[in-house]
Structures are given as C-alpha cells and as structure tokens.
Amino acid sequence: MATELDHLVDRATRNVLLPAEADRLRELVGHLVAAQCTDQLAVCNTHHQPPVAGCPYPRCQAARATQRAATA
C-alpha cells in the first residue's frame, strides 16, 4: 500500500493524476485517517496514565482538566 500511495501522491504533486487514480488516492487516505483514529482510541482506552496532551477523546480531555488518570 505504501508504494501505491507514494506513486499516487507523486502523480498528484505533478498534477498528472487521472480520475481513477484520484478516487484510489481518496480511498487510501480515507483508510489511513480511519486507522489512525482507531489506533488513537485504542491508546486512549488502554494506557493514558496520566492523560496524554493533545488526545482528542472526551474522556482524556476530562482527565486532563481534572488531572486524573483517563482510565479508572
């Protein structure tokens, strides 16, 4: 996937991306964003002791505000 993504990003940078390639690039980037969110949630759910600065999840934000651990 990384090679394909690199190839498509290179073509997009050079403004030579075909419509089908643009669709595939959106697909790949959308998966990465979803995967990153899932990974961040897993991290937040399992081991923020103390809460991690910048974590976007409400439980972690509340824990930062109260200076308590996010997982109880």
Side-chain angles (χ1 to χ4, degrees), residues 19-44:
E21 292 173 322
D23 291 341
R24 180 63 180 149
L25 182 58
R26 275 191 292 279
E27 237 177 72
L28 291 172
V29 172
H31 173 267
L32 291 175
V33 172
Q36 289 167 349
C37 290
T38 301
D39 183 55
Q40 288 175 358
L41 177 59
V43 169
C44 183

Side-chain angles (χ1 to χ4, degrees), residues 2-67:
T3 303
E4 181 184 12
L5 182 59
D6 289 339
H7 172 74
L8 292 173
V9 167
D10 177 61
R11 288 185 55 79
T13 302
R14 293 184 290 125
N15 291 324
V16 293
L17 202 61
L18 298 173
E21 292 173 322
D23 291 341
R24 180 63 180 149
L25 182 58
R26 275 191 292 279
E27 237 177 72
L28 291 172
V29 172
H31 173 267
L32 291 175
V33 172
Q36 289 167 349
C37 290
T38 301
D39 183 55
Q40 288 175 358
L41 177 59
V43 169
C44 183
N45 284 337
T46 58
H47 62 280
H48 281 179
Q49 303 273 348
V52 173
C55 180
Y57 294 97
R59 186 176 62 172
C60 206
Q61 290 175 348
R64 280 196 311 272
T66 61
Q67 297 302 309

